[in-house]
Amino acid sequence: MVQILDGKITATKILEGLKQKTSTLSKKPYLAVILANDDDSSKIYVNSKEKTSNSIGFKSCVYRFDKNITQGELIKLIHELNQNPDINGVLVQLPLYSHLDENQILNLIDPKKDVDGFNPINIGKLNSNDNPYAVCCTPKGIVNLLRAYNIELAGKHAVVVGRSNIVGKPLCSLLTNEDATVTLAHSKTKNLKAITKTADILISATGTTNLITSDMVKKGAVVVDVGIVRMPNGKIKGDVDFEKVKNIASFITPVPGGVGPMTIASLMENTFELYLKQNGI
Ligand code: NAP
């Protein structure tokens, strides 16, 4: 019988713990978010980050910009936030407007305030298993969800489908640090099915609906669906053919209610952990 990896319940527990700890602090963790794009999904994500952070007693502020924002103005803001001792975490919602240079902006965030863990210093530290100031939120949320269900990673074959800088690649580093044996697949991978069939833990992060079908999954595998695709009817779907794959997997994440809530919970954990480090706690 398959078990659902319930990200909503697990994330709620994490957030309740953070709320309780925050209630004992006189100065609160403070998250600054920059939104410089016109994308509807990004606006929803940013609102949700702001709402969650306020709901657990953090302080937050969102800088929303229209398309007239210049690279120079954004750089100036990042410098100000880096220097502001009240701010613990700085997050730039991606993507940025196309005229802005994302990499330059991410590189400017102080690694000690880089709450998304995308700064090259933190990515390098993650790759070297050398205590990054913060670990990218979606990979961290996935590993925390697996841990919450006591799923062993050491020695397991984890197959990650999708090689983005924000999910697939850092997830491979994190799983490697957890002693999993990791294979990374992408759109140019030949005979994907032959590879996914060997996975003890199969994680798909592509944004392609029904990419993972039941014939691609080993009996008893753990299946994690990172994909978020908004269908024309407004419903959200993932990469995995949930209804069929759930008959083969031992554990599976739903979409929505799986990885999504864990990503936000990890962002809050990161903000809290950066706060502690910056205050020498
Ligand atoms: P991305 O930057 O668009 O990368 C997609 C990756 O999937 C690429 O590496 C691409 O391969 C690969 N891919 C696409 N089609 C494929 C196919 N048919 N077979 C094998 N690989 C394929 O996406 P992302 O930012 O990582 O996001 C991936 C999905 O996760 C999206 O649906 C996104 O909305 C969702 N997401 C969810 C959360 C969450 O919290 N739940 C967080 C972040 C992202 P190539 O590199 O060869 O092009």
Side-chain angles (χ1 to χ4, degrees):
M1 183 68 179
V2 70
Q3 241 191 293
I4 300 296
L5 294 168
D6 192 321
K8 227 169 155 181
I9 291 178
T10 311
T12 302
K13 281 188 201 150
I14 293 170
L15 293 174
E16 274 167 6
L18 289 173
K19 184 176 181 178
Q20 200 276 326
K21 287 184 210 155
T22 302
S23 67
T24 65
L25 302 171
S26 49
K27 191 179 157 219
K28 306 297 179 190
Y30 198 156
L31 174 66
V33 179
I34 296 171
L35 175 62
N37 76 45
D38 208 12
D39 167 57
D40 285 339
S41 298
S42 293
K43 286 179 193 161
I44 294 171
Y45 294 145
V46 164
N47 288 344
S48 166
K49 287 166 186 175
E50 187 180 25
K51 206 171 128 201
T52 307
S53 99
N54 295 339
S55 76
I56 59 173
F58 289 5
K59 285 177 81 177
S60 68
C61 58
V62 181
Y63 297 84
R64 293 180 170 83
F65 295 103
D66 64 26
K67 61 178 182 344
N68 295 319
I69 177 83
T70 64
Q71 184 79 3
E73 285 165 328
L74 215 46
I75 289 172
K76 188 164 167 275
L77 175 60
I78 300 277
H79 284 312
E80 282 166 12
L81 295 172
N82 281 345
Q83 277 151 26
N84 183 340
D86 290 335
I87 302 281
N88 305 112
V90 177
L91 181 154
V92 175
Q93 183 69 38
L94 300 178
L96 294 174
Y97 290 116
S98 56
H99 66 279
L100 299 169
D101 179 345
E102 262 175 28
N103 284 337
Q104 187 191 21
I105 296 296
L106 293 181
N107 293 357
L108 284 174
I109 299 173
D110 181 341
K112 294 183 177 153
K113 294 192 176 187
D114 172 32
V115 74
D116 252 341
F118 293 154
N119 181 289
I121 302 262
N122 283 321
I123 292 290
K125 281 176 164 287
L126 177 66
N127 291 346
S128 322
N129 200 8
D130 177 27
N131 295 313
Y133 295 103
V135 173
C136 313
C137 299
T138 301
K140 175 171 173 162
I142 292 167
V143 168
N144 281 345
L145 184 58
L146 297 174
R147 277 206 193 111
Y149 285 82
N150 297 315
I151 293 168
E152 183 69 47
L153 291 169
K156 296 291 168 66
H157 183 206
V159 174
V160 176
V161 189
R163 57 174 162 181
S164 71
N165 290 334
I166 63 167
V167 185
K169 284 185 205 159
L171 178 58
C172 286
S173 296
L174 196 54
L175 292 169
T176 304
N177 295 346
E178 295 288 333
D179 295 328
T181 304
V182 182
T183 301
L184 176 59
H186 46 77
S187 72
K188 308 289 187 295
T189 297
K190 293 205 167 62
N191 203 355
L192 183 62
K193 178 173 151 183
I195 295 169
T196 58
K197 265 275 193 193
T198 66
D200 302 310
I201 299 168
L202 174 58
I203 305 176
S204 186
T206 72
T208 307
T209 53
N210 290 331
L211 175 69
I212 306 298
T213 48
S214 54
D215 57 333
M216 297 170 77
V217 179
K218 180 167 86 176
K219 181 111 188 102
V222 175
V223 179
V224 176
D225 190 348
V226 186
I228 300 180
V229 182
R230 199 170 292 274
M231 306 306 285
N233 63 6
K235 284 201 171 157
I236 306 276
K237 281 199 75 172
D239 294 357
V240 176
D241 180 358
F242 180 87
E243 285 309 318
K244 298 219 172 92
V245 172
K246 78 177 187 332
N247 300 322
I248 307 216
S250 56
F251 290 89
I252 189 167
T253 57
V255 177
V259 176
M262 292 303 294
T263 296
I264 295 220
S266 296
L267 174 65
M268 298 304 138
E269 281 186 312
N270 283 353
T271 307
F272 193 82
E273 286 160 16
L274 293 180
Y275 166 93
L276 295 181
K277 284 176 197 156
Q278 286 161 31
N279 287 282
I281 302 170

